[in-house]
C-alpha cells in the first residue's frame, strides 16, 4: 500500500511591532494580533490586512511578503504546519485563488472587530478579519468545521490548532521567515494623495457596511 501524498499548509500568527498591533493585543489580551496562511513554505502569505503601511483603513485581501515582518526584526512568529492530502490542498488553494480573482471586491471587516468583544462574529459576504479569513479557508478544505455563530479570534484559532497537535515553531521573524522579494505585496507603494486615499477608504467602508 502506497503512503498518502501530502503537502504542508502553514497557519502563522504574528505579534507585530506596529502601534495597531500593540493596540489589538492590549484589547484582546492575547499574545498575537495577526494571522495568515501560506501554501509555499512561508515564502508568501495570504491574509486580510492593510494594503499600505501608512493607511490602515485601506485594508482587504492581500498577498503579504515576509518583508512586512522583517522590517523591524522585533516581530514574533508562531507557525503551525498542517500536512494535508493533495485533494484538501487543492480545495484550499482554489478557495484562495477564487478570492484573488476578484481581490478588489474584498474588504476588511472592521465591524466584526467591534463585535468581537461581545462574543459574536459579524458576517459579511466580502468582508473578513485576518483570522476569519484563515479559519474559513481551513473550513473550505475540511480541516476545521464551520460554526456560524462562533466568535473567531486569534486566540480561539490558535487554541484550536494547538489542541489538534499540529507541529509548531516559534521565534522571531528573522529566525523563521525567508528573505524574499516584495512580489505582489503593495505595502510600500504610493496609493496617491489625500483625496485618493479618502475615496478608496470610503469605498471599502461602504462595501463592508453594505455586505
Amino acid at each position: 500500500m502506497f503512503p498518502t501524498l501530502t503537502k504542508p499548509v502553514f497557519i502563522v500568527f504574528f505579534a507585530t511591532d506596529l502601534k495597531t498591533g500593540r493596540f489589538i493585543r492590549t484589547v484582546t489580551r492575547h499574545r498575537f494580533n495577526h494571522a495568515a496562511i501560506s501554501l509555499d513554505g512561508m515564502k508568501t502569505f495570504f491574509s486580510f490586512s492593510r494594503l499600505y503601511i501608512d493607511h490602515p483603513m485601506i485594508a482587504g485581501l492581500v498577498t503579504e511578503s515576509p518583508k512586512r515582518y522583517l522590517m523591524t526584526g522585533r516581530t514574533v512568529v508562531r507557525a503551525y504546519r498542517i500536512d494535508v492530502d493533495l485533494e484538501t490542498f487543492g480545495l484550499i488553494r482554489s478557495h484562495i485563488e477564487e478570492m484573488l480573482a476578484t481581490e478588489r471586491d474584498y474588504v476588511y471587516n472592521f465591524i466584526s472587530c467591534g463585535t468581537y468583544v461581545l462574543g459574536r462574529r459579524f458576517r459579511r459576504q466580502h468582508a473578513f478579519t485576518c483570522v476569519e479569513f484563515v479559519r474559513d479557508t481551513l473550513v473550505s478544505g475540511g480541516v476545521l468545521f464551520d460554526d456560524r455563530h462562533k466568535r473567531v479570534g486569534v486566540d480561539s484559532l490558535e487554541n484550536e490548532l494547538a489542541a489538534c497537535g499540529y507541529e509548531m515553531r516559534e521565534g522571531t521573524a528573522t529566525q523563521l521567515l525567508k528573505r524574499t522579494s516584495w512580489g505582489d505585496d503593495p505595502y510600500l507603494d504610493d496609493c496617491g494623495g489625500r483625496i485618493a486615499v479618502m475615496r478608496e477608504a470610503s469605498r471599502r467602508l461602504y462595501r463592508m457596511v453594505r455586505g
Side-chain angles (χ1 to χ4, degrees):
M1 187 173 182
F2 296 103
T4 302
L5 296 177
T6 63
K7 298 192 74 171
V9 174
F10 288 90
I11 307 302
V12 189
F13 300 94
F14 302 90
T16 58
D17 192 42
L18 294 175
K19 290 180 181 179
T20 304
R22 292 193 291 271
F23 173 76
I24 292 172
R25 293 195 297 275
T26 299
V27 172
T28 62
R29 299 181 181 180
H30 192 61
R31 187 178 178 193
F32 300 97
N33 60 276
H34 184 56
I37 185 168
S38 176
L39 304 181
D40 61 0
M42 298 198 293
K43 296 176 184 177
T44 56
F45 303 95
F46 301 105
S47 189
F48 273 67
S49 184
R50 68 176 73 191
L51 274 67
Y52 310 102
I53 187 172
D54 294 326
H55 304 290
M57 296 304 293
I58 301 180
L61 178 61
V62 63
T63 302
E64 299 179 329
S65 166
K67 285 195 171 185
R68 286 192 178 215
Y69 309 105
L70 291 166
M71 290 179 70
T72 67
R74 293 188 294 270
T75 296
V76 178
V77 178
R78 177 178 290 175
Y80 287 86
R81 174 176 174 146
I82 305 175
D83 290 311
V84 300
D85 59 42
L86 298 185
E87 180 181 1
T88 299
F89 188 87
L91 289 172
I92 291 173
R93 182 175 59 190
S94 295
H95 177 81
I96 295 173
E97 288 176 347
E98 288 174 5
M99 294 179 69
L100 288 172
T102 54
E103 178 182 338
R104 183 173 163 80
D105 293 337
Y106 288 91
V107 298
Y108 195 88
N109 194 345
F110 289 103
I111 298 178
S112 204
C113 291
T115 59
Y116 175 85
V117 296
L118 303 176
R120 301 288 291 182
R121 174 178 178 179
F122 190 84
R123 284 183 177 265
R124 281 292 185 264
Q125 183 178 1
H126 290 94
F128 298 86
T129 65
C130 61
V131 69
E132 289 170 353
F133 162 72
V134 170
R135 194 181 191 284
D136 282 9
T137 300
L138 292 177
V139 169
S140 75
V143 177
L144 297 177
F145 293 103
D146 193 12
D147 186 340
R148 293 191 59 82
H149 301 292
K150 183 177 181 179
R151 178 177 70 175
V152 181
V154 171
D155 54 345
S156 61
L157 177 58
E158 201 270 332
N159 290 337
E160 276 189 276
L161 300 180
C164 292
Y166 294 122
E167 176 187 335
M168 186 271 285
R169 295 178 63 197
E170 182 176 320
T172 65
T174 304
Q175 292 170 330
L176 297 187
L177 303 185
K178 298 176 175 62
R179 294 190 175 276
T180 62
S181 68
W182 281 104
D184 295 328
D185 192 337
Y187 198 53
L188 298 183
D189 290 356
D190 183 359
C191 63
R194 183 177 301 178
I195 293 177
V197 170
M198 292 179 61
R199 183 182 295 119
E200 180 61 16
S202 298
R203 183 191 73 81
R204 289 175 178 269
L205 287 172
Y206 173 74
R207 189 168 188 86
M208 174 192 63
V209 172
R210 188 185 66 177

